[in-house]
Amino acid sequence: MRKSLLLIMVLFITNSLLAQNIIIKNIQFEGLKRTKESFLRRLVKVKPLSAYNIEQIETDVERLNRLPGIAKAIYRLDKTNPTEYVLTYQIVENFTIIPGVRVSQANDDSFAFRLSVFEFNFLGQNQIIGGFYGRNVFDSFGGYWEAPYLFSNKLGIGVNYIKNVMREPIFFPNDNTVNYKLDNLSTEIYALYELDFHNNFQLGIKYVDQEYSFIDGAVTAQVPNELSAQKWSVLSEYENNHLVVDYQYVYGFRNFTNVELITGGEGLLDDELIAQTDFQYFKKVGEKGNWANRLKLSYATFNDSRFAPFALDNQLNIRGAGNSTGRGTAEITLNTEYRHTLYEKDWFVLQSNTFLDTGTRRNPTGDLNDLVSNSTLKVNPGLGIRFIHKRIFNAVIRFDYGFGIGNNATNGFVFGIGQYF
């Protein structure tokens, strides 16, 4: 027994010493069409003539799989002599010029839409550039550019300009819903920094010119005709990412935490601190299943205004809840769903979805007891279907129907692009 253990230890030490003497002589990339090889060489941490390290190689593969321009990356090691390997990354690229169409019902029951086009591999460096035009009672438009690795393999930048104009319902006491025209013009610039493979930071500033103009509703002393504010915000975000992505399957966990300090407002649009954290957990179930979970916690310090920052909405938190049917200054949302691959052939995947969305909120001017009140609790189970193109980035067309349970229950059909979370 002792001899066997001694032999195992000797073999382990010998293999470790041999591995330390092996070097990666050269690095190659296969399958590249639009992505620049120079960009990927700068991004990966394994370099030519570096020591062989299998964990670092596998981490680089996962780093490549997270890029919008890459559908799937694997690696191959070819031995040229006993102490040298050639490392080859085999790449399947995504198609990344993505048009988008969103169709919905506006808050005045009219037809609403949003048209967009985004390039997720701009200049072959996985930069994001694009814009949108939409009409939700009023016209809106915006433009975005984000280059996460513009300056180095750790440091990048993003900017956006958005003019969002919409009919916005605000909920006053005694079931008095007042509709405003919200004209929200914002400009933002931010820096992105990758501390390591799992931890990313974002820091930026934003200018917002915000105007509310009365449209209709019951006029009372509490209901202002017009409100306006010119605000500056400091925004920060931290991401801890341990996800593994294999086409339509995702497993691991991720957390986003955002903090925004807003100044420049007054009265009903006063200054506030907004904090949100989003926990996500994914687990592969058998050969074709994927269990996905999201817990979202949100809190705003300014609680004296009906113009609250968090909305109860089909596209944001509770499928079947309707379009902006409630507002809050704190919220808890839990989404859990089981995704199952019904059919898969080459590039196409048909996936079913069984979900449960639950959430509660603190009403404007309310207290934290609202979060445990039946009057604010929403429970919506539902069913859905997904049509997925495996070689087009984020090409998931989803259809869901949520069934409300309990008091003030609402049912609804939800359409969108991309997984719900």
Side-chain angles (χ1 to χ4, degrees), residues 387-406:
F387 301 92
I388 303 173
H389 194 303
K390 293 168 63 175
R391 291 174 178 75
I392 299 178
F393 175 67
N394 204 34
V396 180
I397 299 175
R398 57 179 164 85
F399 297 89
D400 290 319
Y401 192 88
F403 305 86
I405 295 176

Side-chain angles (χ1 to χ4, degrees), residues 326-378:
R327 288 195 165 274
T329 55
E331 69 174 7
I332 302 172
T333 303
L334 176 63
N335 309 100
T336 184
E337 61 184 39
Y338 174 70
R339 308 165 184 171
H340 189 84
T341 298
L342 300 174
Y343 176 81
E344 182 173 4
K345 181 70 173 180
D346 191 26
W347 56 267
F348 176 73
V349 174
L350 179 65
Q351 189 181 68
S352 65
N353 187 26
T354 305
F355 65 86
L356 175 65
D357 295 342
T358 61
T360 184
R361 68 186 185 278
R362 178 178 68 178
N363 289 317
T365 73
D367 55 43
L368 291 177
N369 289 332
D370 290 348
L371 294 172
V372 293
S373 170
N374 287 332
S375 64
T376 60
L377 178 66
K378 297 286 289 186

Side-chain angles (χ1 to χ4, degrees), residues 215-231:
I215 297 177
D216 57 45
V219 177
T220 68
Q222 295 177 306
V223 178
N225 284 322
E226 292 186 348
L227 287 170
S228 64
Q230 290 73 46
K231 298 182 178 182

